Each structure stands twice: as C-alpha cells, then as structure tokens.
Amino acid sequence: MSEPALGSTESFSHYHGDVAPDWSAVPDGSIIELLHRGCMEDPFRPLIIVDDGPRLTRREFLEACEAFAGYLNPRMKAGDHVAVMLDNRVEYMVAFFAIVALRGTLVSIAPTAQVFDAGHILKDSQPTLVICGTEQRAVVDAALKEQGLSAEVVVLTDPEPQGLDRFSGDAPFDFSQAQCDRSEIVAVYYTSGSTGAPKGCMLHHGWWLRVIDIDLRLFRRGWQDRQLCCLPFYYADPTIQLLTSLASRGTLVAMRRFSVSRFWDVVTRYDATEILSIASIPALLMTGKSSEAEKDHRIRLAIHAGLPPAIHAELIERFGFHWHNQYGATEGGVMSRVPNQLANSTVGTGTMGVEPPGVEVRLVDDDDNEVPVGTAGEATIRGADLFVGYLGRPDETEKSMRGGYYHTGDLVRRDENGLLYFVGRKKEIIRRSGENISASEVESVLIAHDLIVDAAVIPVPHDIRGEEVMAFILPKDGIGPETLPVEQVIDWCRERLAGFKIPRFIAYRTEDFERLPSMKIDKKVLRDAHARGEVDAFDREEIEKS
C-alpha cells in the first residue's frame, strides 16, 4: 500500500496498517500467566542470550524462577516490597518474576546508585528483602544502616547464571499455581528526580499487559525474531522486551551495557532482528567506524524514543533499516509511534507519530484547556491501565492525573494530519527576557551540524535577562575550536534560530558527557559544574563586540 501524503487533509492513524483489534495479542490475565504459557509452549527455544554470557531456554528460565520463588516463599508475603540492585545479568529477570509470582512488588534500584540515592529509595519503599551483587553490597549495607532499616540482604556471589542457585527453597514454587490479580502492583520504578526527590512509579499487571499488547499489534513478531536489548535491566524496557519475546515465541539478546565498538558485532553474532534504543544511542552509533557488519545483518527496524531528525535519513542510509520514532513514559507506557505506513514519508520530520489504538493524547494549556492545532501544549494522556500512582504520594498522583489524564510535563504540538511533535520539557524551558526557549529545539539545531556529535543546553542565571542559554557541544573525535570555530557554531545557529534563542555561552567537550543509565545526558552535572565556576565557555556577546 502506498503511503499517504503529508500535508493532505487526511488524519493519520495506526489503522492504516495491518493492526489487529484491541487486546488480541495478549490473552493472559497476568504477566506470570504470560511467562508460564510462553515457557511451556516452547520450552527448548532460547529465551534470553546474554552477550559473552549464558544462553537460557524457556524451560531453564522458568525452572530458575520457580526455584528462587521457592526460597522467597517463606520469607515474604503478598504486597511485600523486594528491592533489586543488580547489573545486567539474568538473575535480575529471574528475581523479577519470582517476586511477582508470589504477589510481591519489585523495587528497582540502579546498580550504580550510591548511599544517598539508594538510601532514599530504600527508605521510601521499606523493602522486606534486598537482592544485590557483591559490587553493590557495601552501598546496600551503608544505606540500610544510615536509614535505620532492617531487611534481609541476598547477595549474589556466584557467577552468572548460578548467582541465585544457593538460594533455592526446599521445593520450587509452581508458577501455574500463582494467584496474581491484574490490579496488583508488579514493580516500582523511581523517576529521575529532576525537580525534587525521585518518586516511585507503581505499575500493575494491567500496565504491562497493555504495553505488550499494543507493541505486538503495532509490530508483528514471530519465533524468528530476536530483539536486541542494550539498556540497563533496572529500567522497565528490557522486561517489556523479554515479555514481548515470550508472547511472540522470540528471543531477547542482551548486552551488558551499550557499546559503540561492540554493537554491530553483537547484532551479527546473535542474529538480532530488532533494536530498541533511547537518548543519544543513534548519534553515538554514527560516530563508530564503518564496517561490513553494520549492513550485513537481519535488523528489520529500530524503535527509538526521541529520534534526532537531522540524522534520521543518514541512519537509514548507513545502516539499511527504518528507525521508528515513538513517545512514551513510565507512567503512560507507549503514547505514540510512527505508523508503519508512514515510515518513508516521515523521515527527518521529527514526528513522534500518532496514538496507538486505545490511547488518547490531549494537548492543553496551563488551565487544561485544549490548544489549537499547530500550537504547543502540555501532552496529557488517557487510556486503559496507566500507572497506578506514585508510592506514598497520593497528592502527587492526584495532581499528575487531574481530570483523568496523565500530565506528562512535555510540550508537544499536533499538525493538521494528527501527527505529534516534541517541543520540549515544560521544566526545561529557558526564560530569557520574557521569551520562552526550548532547550530541546536548540540542541536539535546543534546536533544537526556535521561536526557535532551531541549537545546539551541549560539555563544559567542572568541579572538582567533572568536566564541565558548555555550550550555544551561534543564535537567529533579530535575536533576543537581550532577546527570548528565558535563563530561557525554561532553562525550555524543564527541561520536556523530566532536571535533570542542563539546560545550566549558555548562550551566545548573533549570527552563524552556524563550520562544517566538511560543514556540521556546528566544535565545536573553540567548545572552543578557551572554553579561551581568550573565551565570554560565562549561568550557570544564578547565575540560579537570584538
């Protein structure tokens, strides 16, 4: 079928493609039912392959989950919280399903967390048990002591995948006998805490089933598919990938961590067919040396959150497959994605696509009034099985879900065809002399330059203008102000941005940015460095005076 033309009066939706009816891909009532069914239907097919690590069949994975659940069974009860702080090793997934099968709730903690941030999560969630690796043991012990908490600590001392073997019970817990309810909380993931202490986002069985069902209906998969996971396991995305693999009889290929130099070797070695990526992963892949492997593969597509429009066409040309932009959040799950039939016509436009079936996106002003087409407003989401709320914060939950819509804090606009475009975070809007400037917009312009790999824009205080725009740029290897003069960067911005949006201060990076586990740039590090006077930056106004 030919693609509809952008700019026509037609309103686009996922129903233009071969999208099955609602709730047709996941017949289960809980993710434990999904897991058990998927493992029993095809027990000898690989479920998870870890790069330079173990390969587990479905039967082996289920047996490991049931064995560890047998150990946990006398130590916890329904509703208990169990904190897990592990690197990317299969025991994270084993622990996840063992906890949930016993009707407990997994509390996910970044394995790189330190005493302060781990302590906040432990105090907030009050876990009965904590599961960690030897690398995290000292942090866990110190955080529990500092918070005055007592919890049993399970430490993995044996190599993967035997790390939980010595914690097996007298009898495995039969997952077919699990009494999970769709409404029960499965996991708690903590927000980044950019505007205060991180909040625990509670996700129930219904949230997971809805996300998996939508994903499988928008993009059909089968036994021959292998999803590549290059994200940290403590995020929700890898578990979603594992569950969609189970539901479609596919396999998950997992990297320990994202690596430009190893990426295509992993893709080809393990025969991956699909990529899920976030943040700066595409831009970083473009910095790698060209190789035969980056074209000699079975990848059918990549799904990416926040795809840079400036390099979209180049990604397709270089790597040989489509990158589908999508929009989502822990609270709302999959909120929009580019429809399959628009894969060609939307290249480079920056659109996040349209809502999937069963999801409604409404763009509103500060008073929750809907904004006109073409005007940026806060994206609010309504649909079945959104997140349950924030752990222990009913007021925050009510505020974020006022009017029955989840308020994302993102500024988004919709065009005449119904396609959505990300404008920026409401809280990342820079207020300069009364003008609102989107940090995301300025970053997109900078990244579009051939010699700039990545960029981050932050506000800095100014006595007269309130705030000024400071840009940090990461040029390609070996390039600095001598090869890429700051005047050239300023001219590049001047040709593409209104004058008030052009960065006042420009700082060059010689090394990659400090990043969160999500691969997003850690802007707090940049703000703190500026506040301490540690940033050496060019001043555009001084340059223009000379």
Side-chain angles (χ1 to χ4, degrees), residues 192-498:
S192 60
S194 58
T195 57
K199 303 185 293 290
C201 184
M202 299 184 290
L203 308 179
H204 64 313
H205 285 273
W207 182 95
W208 295 87
L209 295 171
R210 170 182 166 273
V211 168
I212 296 157
D213 185 77
I214 286 174
D215 189 43
L216 288 175
R217 286 188 292 114
L218 294 188
F219 185 64
R220 303 294 181 85
R221 301 177 181 88
W223 64 266
Q224 76 280 9
D225 284 307
R226 291 187 167 189
Q227 297 185 59
L228 178 68
C229 171
C230 57
L231 310 179
F233 280 8
Y234 85 91
Y235 269 51
D237 305 85
T239 307
I240 293 171
Q241 289 184 284
L242 186 71
L243 287 165
T244 54
S245 295
L246 275 163
S248 60
R249 306 183 79 171
T251 301
L252 180 68
V253 175
M255 298 179 72
R256 301 291 186 187
R257 61 189 61 82
F258 172 73
S259 165
V260 172
S261 62
R262 286 192 48 75
F263 190 85
W264 295 110
D265 177 58
V266 173
V267 165
T268 55
R269 178 183 300 182
Y270 302 108
D271 208 19
T273 61
E274 177 187 340
I275 296 168
L276 174 66
S277 74
I278 57 176
S280 300
I281 286 175
L284 293 172
L285 286 176
M286 291 297 292
T287 68
K289 294 181 180 179
S290 296
S291 67
E292 292 184 7
E294 68 185 31
K295 279 288 185 70
D296 185 18
H297 53 68
R298 280 207 308 136
I299 297 292
R300 293 195 288 160
L301 90 163
I303 297 172
H304 182 83
L307 190 66
I311 63 171
H312 193 170
E314 193 177 354
L315 284 165
I316 297 171
E317 173 65 25
R318 178 169 173 180
F319 301 130
F321 53 86
H322 270 295
W323 294 67
H324 285 240
N325 202 13
Q326 80 167 18
Y327 174 54
T330 307
E331 290 87 345
V334 179
M335 300 188 292
S336 75
R337 184 183 293 176
V338 172
N340 294 331
Q341 77 276 9
L342 296 180
N344 290 319
S345 58
T346 57
V347 172
T349 65
T351 182
M352 304 182 298
V354 294
E355 303 94 319
V359 176
E360 177 189 355
V361 175
R362 187 168 177 261
L363 308 182
V364 301
D365 60 21
D366 289 341
D367 297 317
D368 279 351
N369 298 312
E370 197 159 358
V371 300
V373 170
T375 302
E378 182 179 6
T380 64
I381 314 298
R382 184 169 67 176
D385 293 309
L386 301 186
F387 80 124
V388 174
Y390 296 115
L391 178 64
R393 290 171 170 79
D395 292 344
E396 292 279 357
T397 302
E398 184 178 357
K399 180 181 177 182
S400 72
M401 285 298 299
R402 60 188 183 275
Y405 286 80
Y406 166 59
H407 289 61
T408 64
D410 293 331
L411 292 176
V412 173
R413 66 176 177 86
R414 190 191 297 273
D415 69 13
E416 65 275 10
N417 296 127
L419 296 172
L420 298 166
Y421 300 80
F422 183 78
V423 175
R425 291 285 297 168
K426 285 184 72 173
K427 291 165 184 171
E428 280 197 11
I429 294 298
I430 300 167
R431 188 76 171 169
R432 182 184 186 272
S433 297
E435 298 279 6
N436 289 330
I437 303 168
S438 165
S440 176
E441 180 185 15
V442 180
E443 289 163 356
S444 296
V445 167
L446 291 166
I447 294 169
H449 194 288
D450 288 344
L451 299 182
I452 297 176
V453 174
D454 212 347
V457 170
I458 64 170
V460 294
H462 190 272
D463 291 340
I464 298 174
R465 298 188 178 106
E467 291 179 331
E468 272 288 8
V469 181
M470 170 171 277
F472 295 80
I473 61 173
L474 176 64
K476 289 187 175 179
D477 289 343
I479 293 177
E482 302 79 16
T483 307
L484 177 62
V486 67
E487 292 86 354
Q488 187 181 124
V489 177
I490 294 169
D491 289 343
W492 176 266
C493 292
R494 184 176 286 113
E495 293 170 3
R496 292 161 176 80
L497 293 169

Side-chain angles (χ1 to χ4, degrees), residues 13-320:
S13 78
H14 287 280
Y15 287 109
H16 283 282
D18 180 22
V19 178
D22 286 354
W23 295 109
S24 58
V26 179
D28 311 282
S30 75
I31 63 172
I32 298 302
E33 286 182 31
L34 192 161
L35 171 73
H36 188 265
R37 174 176 59 84
C39 289
M40 296 300 290
E41 282 180 349
D42 208 353
F44 301 108
R45 185 174 299 282
L47 174 60
I48 183 168
I49 300 172
V50 181
D51 176 36
D52 293 337
R55 172 191 296 245
L56 269 67
T57 65
R58 284 156 160 73
R59 185 176 75 171
E60 290 168 337
F61 184 78
L62 179 61
E63 288 175 349
C65 292
E66 292 183 331
F68 187 52
Y71 171 83
L72 293 178
N73 200 15
R75 292 170 169 79
M76 58 174 286
K77 63 184 185 299
D80 279 357
H81 290 171
V82 179
V84 179
M85 189 177 179
L86 289 172
D87 295 307
N88 276 26
R89 48 188 293 172
V90 294
E91 290 92 344
Y92 180 96
M93 296 296 184
V94 169
F96 185 106
F97 291 105
I99 294 162
V100 175
L102 297 172
R103 302 174 66 193
T105 299
L106 178 139
V107 176
S108 197
I109 304 179
T112 55
Q114 297 302 306
V115 174
F116 178 81
D117 42 358
H120 165 73
I121 294 174
L122 292 170
K123 181 180 180 181
D124 195 62
S125 62
Q126 299 286 310
T128 303
L129 296 99
V130 180
I131 302 168
C132 67
T134 53
E135 302 87 350
Q136 293 83 29
R137 177 64 188 268
V139 169
V140 168
D141 287 346
L144 288 171
K145 182 178 180 180
E146 186 173 288
Q147 298 297 332
L149 300 172
S150 59
E152 180 180 351
V153 180
V154 173
V155 183
L156 281 65
T157 57
D158 296 322
E160 184 188 34
Q162 287 83 36
L164 294 173
D165 285 2
R166 64 191 180 92
F167 299 105
S168 299
D170 293 334
F173 177 78
D174 184 354
F175 274 26
S176 69
Q177 302 302 308
Q179 300 296 312
C180 300
D181 185 88
R182 183 186 179 88
S183 64
E184 291 173 342
I185 308 300
V186 167
V188 178
Y189 295 95
Y190 277 77
T191 64
S192 60
S194 58
T195 57
K199 303 185 293 290
C201 184
M202 299 184 290
L203 308 179
H204 64 313
H205 285 273
W207 182 95
W208 295 87
L209 295 171
R210 170 182 166 273
V211 168
I212 296 157
D213 185 77
I214 286 174
D215 189 43
L216 288 175
R217 286 188 292 114
L218 294 188
F219 185 64
R220 303 294 181 85
R221 301 177 181 88
W223 64 266
Q224 76 280 9
D225 284 307
R226 291 187 167 189
Q227 297 185 59
L228 178 68
C229 171
C230 57
L231 310 179
F233 280 8
Y234 85 91
Y235 269 51
D237 305 85
T239 307
I240 293 171
Q241 289 184 284
L242 186 71
L243 287 165
T244 54
S245 295
L246 275 163
S248 60
R249 306 183 79 171
T251 301
L252 180 68
V253 175
M255 298 179 72
R256 301 291 186 187
R257 61 189 61 82
F258 172 73
S259 165
V260 172
S261 62
R262 286 192 48 75
F263 190 85
W264 295 110
D265 177 58
V266 173
V267 165
T268 55
R269 178 183 300 182
Y270 302 108
D271 208 19
T273 61
E274 177 187 340
I275 296 168
L276 174 66
S277 74
I278 57 176
S280 300
I281 286 175
L284 293 172
L285 286 176
M286 291 297 292
T287 68
K289 294 181 180 179
S290 296
S291 67
E292 292 184 7
E294 68 185 31
K295 279 288 185 70
D296 185 18
H297 53 68
R298 280 207 308 136
I299 297 292
R300 293 195 288 160
L301 90 163
I303 297 172
H304 182 83
L307 190 66
I311 63 171
H312 193 170
E314 193 177 354
L315 284 165
I316 297 171
E317 173 65 25
R318 178 169 173 180
F319 301 130

